[in-house]
Amino acid sequence: MANNPHGGVLKDLLARDAPRYDDLAAEAEKLPAIVLSERQLCDLELILSGGFSPLEGFMNEKDYNGVVENLRLEDGNLFSMPICLDISKDTIDEIKVEAGARITLRDFRDDRNLAIITVDDVYKPDKQKEAQDVFGGDAEHPAVKYLLETAHEYYVGGKIDAIMRLNHYDYVALRYTPAELRQHFNKLGWSSVVAFQTRNPMHRAHRELTVRAARALKANVLIHPVVGLTKPGDIDHFTRVRVYQALLPRYPNGMAVLGLLPLAMRMGGPREAIWHAIIRKNHGATHFIVGRDHAGPGKNSAGKDFYGPYDAQYAVEKYRDELGIEVVPFQQMIYLPDSDEYKPHDEVAPGVRTLNISGTELRSRLRSGKDIPEWFSYPEVVKVLRESHPPRFRQGFTVFLTGYQNSGKAAIARALQVTLNQQSGRSVTLLLGENVRSNLSSELGFSNGDRQKNISRIAFVAAELTRAGAAVIAGPIAPFDASRKAAKETVSQHGSFYLVHVATSLEYCEKTDKRGVYAKARRGEIKGFTGVDDPYEAPEKADLRVDLEKQSVREIVHQIVLMLESEGLLDRF
């Protein structure tokens, strides 16, 4: 029999409100609506399914304050993470959000009405207190940054009437609600289930750990990875799920089940571990593996851990009786090559030879194409990872040239395109300023805002091409440092970005201008011309600085090629 839900009753709002579907769907069409963000949708999905039991909606101010200050809802139930519907003052005024109002909650992806919230209250939270009490207050913590920089200034609390489930088009058969997973356990005859939380690919050590835990507890395993929002930079969930599917046959005798959790993680360490335990209890698990630095975001820029390595385990153990789910402490598994086996770290005798591959080393081997040994990961898992993370010489990249009009950017870009095309093996795309202006940004002028919008469009196109494995050569003037940094941030999510400052002097650009555009600008016939009546902010930290007044195009292109080769991007072409 599956574990009892947190609070004693599974708050499956979808099942509860199904008989009222027609009435609720009709009402929702007539009500003002809040269009939910991706994170809000993750929260709503788990409220609707009962994954966040005993919650029946977004927290009102009393519940919120209790959770922030004491990890308690107003009714006394343990709950460690604020689940809040943030909203702007403009939206409050526009659709008249106030106590007693009924508001439709709508999916931004397809405009479907998912639920109706009956507003308890609208309140302005103390975000600094929330940041400090819930996450530890470090300004670099991703949840703190989201709270202070992205989340709206007001919260809306209230209970929810469910209309329909969220639509998903990926791995639908693996997306169990708590009620469905409990029914599945019952069908299989499982009474003891140990849940394993992960946001990373699983390798042989993880398989050994979960098998050991299951055998010691005479239990089965629920592999329950997060497929909502995780830490920025994590491997995408599509790749991870394919890894889990490849690993599943390695479990003996149908020991494990894979189910996906649409959770928006906060990376909240100790508080998050308690929250995760509650969620797994609601899904029917009787045991929960809590790892070292569980749900921690790692280190800040000073190299300091946001949380202690065992803070999460201590926190869950502290509330063990109330949680009603057994904690299984995560023991780091170590490979012993002489006996070809994995053992927990505390069972390895001093002097015994061990091997390990760190996450950094694994990423390096994936980038370079180096061998990943079978003692570390199974061949079928490595195959999936290599398909999604090709080595450097198959990855896309962007070379972003910036400089004055007539500085030589266009000539360098064209010559570089020919050079890279000659080496073959990778698609090469040229995004010159004049082409982009005529094809992507013809309606834009040369105001500060329009210039930034133009660079944003170039960055978007470059990022998509880079993600697809192409080489992109962009050559706008890009006079402002902020827009160049924003472009780098956009592209770097999908591949390498190299800023090349074509630092040819303004005097030389003007002297060699055969089109006469500088002369027109000097006469006032062209307004907002960079270098004449509009500023150019020279990059302080370019990856490469070149100068057409002192170098030939051939020499400059050779320098860029050497830079790309040194990064391993041209090794096999």
Side-chain angles (χ1 to χ4, degrees):
M1 181 178 176
N3 202 354
N4 289 325
H6 193 56
V9 177
L10 184 67
K11 302 293 185 177
D12 185 345
L13 308 189
L14 291 164
R16 183 197 69 186
D17 296 336
R20 303 167 57 212
Y21 170 78
D22 290 340
D23 291 340
L24 290 170
E27 182 186 2
E29 289 293 337
K30 302 172 185 175
L31 296 173
I34 296 172
V35 179
L36 301 185
S37 67
E38 190 171 7
R39 174 159 152 170
Q40 291 168 340
L41 284 174
C42 289
D43 287 349
L44 178 65
E45 184 166 10
L46 286 165
I47 292 171
L48 293 177
S49 70
F52 285 169
S53 294
L55 299 188
E56 296 181 77
F58 288 99
M59 291 181 180
N60 60 27
E61 189 170 18
K62 289 182 179 178
D63 281 333
Y64 166 78
N65 287 333
V67 168
V68 169
E69 295 172 7
N70 303 307
L71 289 81
R72 299 280 169 190
L73 298 169
E74 188 187 11
D75 63 10
N77 270 305
L78 177 70
F79 210 92
S80 57
M81 194 63 62
I83 307 298
C84 303
L85 178 58
D86 59 296
I87 188 172
S88 68
K89 182 67 164 61
D90 288 345
T91 301
I92 291 171
D93 293 339
E94 180 183 345
I95 64 174
K96 296 180 172 53
V97 182
E98 58 189 10
R102 283 173 65 77
I103 310 288
T104 297
L105 302 181
R106 186 171 293 161
D107 191 330
F108 80 92
R109 303 168 305 168
D110 54 17
D111 284 336
R112 292 164 76 243
N113 297 328
L114 302 174
I116 298 172
I117 183 170
T118 302
V119 178
D120 277 352
D121 52 13
V122 181
Y123 56 101
K124 192 168 186 178
D126 183 342
K127 289 189 177 183
Q128 292 294 341
K129 180 176 177 60
E130 181 180 343
Q132 181 63 49
D133 290 3
V134 178
F135 303 111
D138 192 315
E140 293 183 26
H141 191 294
V144 173
K145 289 187 72 173
Y146 179 89
L147 179 65
L148 300 181
E149 297 175 11
T150 303
H152 295 298
E153 63 268 37
Y154 289 90
Y155 290 168
V156 177
K159 292 191 174 182
I160 284 172
D161 294 314
I163 299 174
M164 63 179 69
R165 292 174 71 156
L166 279 74
N167 261 342
H168 291 288
Y169 299 96
D170 60 323
Y171 308 115
V172 176
L174 300 175
R175 292 180 176 272
Y176 297 97
T177 66
E180 291 167 345
L181 200 50
R182 287 166 169 273
Q183 185 178 22
H184 191 57
F185 294 157
N186 187 53
K187 180 180 178 181
L188 294 172
W190 291 5
S191 57
S192 294
V193 180
V194 55
F196 181 65
Q197 141 86 26
T198 182
R199 45 172 253 271
N200 295 307
M202 291 176 67
H203 301 288
R204 188 173 163 187
H206 302 102
R207 184 264 185 198
E208 297 292 332
L209 165 74
T210 49
V211 168
R212 273 176 167 262
R215 285 174 172 164
L217 298 165
K218 295 181 175 58
N220 290 90
V221 177
L222 168 62
I223 301 171
H224 210 205
V226 172
V227 296
L229 299 178
T230 60
K231 182 182 175 184
D234 280 353
I235 289 177
D236 66 274
H237 80 268
F238 302 103
T239 299
R240 290 190 288 111
V241 174
R242 291 197 296 273
V243 164
Y244 308 139
Q245 289 174 318
L247 184 70
L248 209 57
R250 293 282 184 170
Y251 282 86
N253 306 313
M255 176 185 282
V257 160
L258 172 62
L260 309 184
L261 183 68
L263 178 70
M265 290 184 67
R266 273 60 162 178
M267 308 306 298
R271 287 233 189 187
E272 183 120 357
I274 296 169
W275 187 38
H276 288 180
I278 291 170
I279 293 167
R280 272 44 184 236
K281 179 184 179 184
N282 287 331
H283 282 79
T286 55
H287 299 76
F288 180 51
I289 296 174
V290 178
R292 186 181 184 276
D293 192 25
H294 184 98
K299 300 179 184 294
N300 62 18
S301 59
K304 182 180 177 182
D305 288 318
F306 288 97
Y307 305 110
Y310 302 108
D311 287 356
Q313 293 181 2
Y314 299 150
V316 177
E317 188 62 32
K318 177 181 177 181
Y319 295 101
R320 174 180 174 177
D321 292 341
E322 265 187 279
L323 284 170
I325 187 169
E326 292 291 322
V327 178
V328 181
F330 185 109
Q331 292 290 334
Q332 184 180 3
M333 301 297 288
I334 303 294
Y335 179 65
L336 311 181
D338 295 333
S339 55
D340 187 26
E341 64 178 333
Y342 276 84
K343 281 191 173 182
H345 182 270
D346 59 359
E347 293 181 18
V348 179
V352 172
R353 193 163 69 98
T354 64
L355 292 176
N356 186 37
I357 292 179
S358 67
T360 301
E361 172 67 13
L362 174 63
R363 289 188 291 273
S364 173
R365 288 178 183 238
L366 286 171
R367 281 196 303 269
S368 65
K370 289 182 180 177
D371 178 60
I372 297 172
E374 287 194 36
W375 63 259
F376 176 79
S377 195
Y378 297 109
E380 56 268 38
V381 168
V382 173
K383 181 175 182 291
V384 171
L385 292 174
R386 289 205 187 281
E387 288 170 351
S388 298
H389 295 81
R392 288 286 281 168
F393 60 85
R394 296 198 183 280
Q395 294 174 15
F397 61 86
T398 292
V399 175
F400 192 97
L401 303 160
T402 175
Y404 289 115
Q405 170 75 26
N406 198 43
S407 62
K409 299 189 310 299
I412 294 165
R414 290 190 179 98
L416 180 60
Q417 181 189 33
V418 170
T419 301
L420 294 179
N421 275 332
Q422 173 184 289
Q423 296 178 346
S424 76
R426 185 190 267 117
S427 172
V428 184
T429 298
L430 198 59
L431 298 175
L432 291 179
E434 57 198 47
N435 295 334
V436 171
R437 280 281 178 179
S438 61
N439 292 302
L440 287 180
S441 302
S442 59
E443 87 285 8
L444 298 181
F446 291 89
S447 66
N448 191 325
D450 279 359
R451 287 179 184 274
Q452 303 226 25
K453 190 177 292 184
N454 182 52
I455 299 304
S456 176
R457 291 177 183 179
I458 292 173
F460 172 78
V461 174
E464 292 301 304
L465 290 167
T466 296
R467 175 163 60 178
V472 181
I473 306 165
I477 294 173
F480 301 117
D481 190 54
S483 61
R484 294 191 298 260
K485 286 179 178 175
K488 180 175 183 177
E489 185 175 340
T490 299
V491 174
S492 295
Q493 296 176 48
H494 306 297
S496 298
F497 178 97
Y498 300 97
L499 181 65
V500 177
H501 180 201
V502 184
T504 310
S505 69
L506 178 62
E507 292 75 19
Y508 187 82
C509 295
E510 191 165 354
K511 183 175 68 174
T512 58
D513 174 25
K514 292 183 172 61
R515 299 183 183 181
V517 290
Y518 278 97
K520 290 181 180 178
R522 295 291 181 193
R523 292 195 299 267
E525 296 173 21
I526 302 175
K527 300 294 184 183
F529 195 92
T530 302
V532 177
D533 58 350
D534 224 40
Y536 178 82
E537 300 171 359
E540 294 182 4
K541 294 182 179 179
D543 296 290
L544 185 65
R545 184 169 279 102
V546 298
D547 186 343
L548 197 62
E549 189 175 0
K550 302 171 183 176
Q551 301 168 274
S552 69
V553 169
R554 190 181 305 278
E555 289 171 334
I556 292 170
V557 168
H558 186 59
Q559 276 190 270
I560 296 173
V561 168
L562 289 176
M563 175 179 70
L564 298 174
E565 285 181 341
S566 71
E567 295 287 319
L569 289 163
L570 306 180
D571 280 356
R572 303 211 181 168
F573 289 142

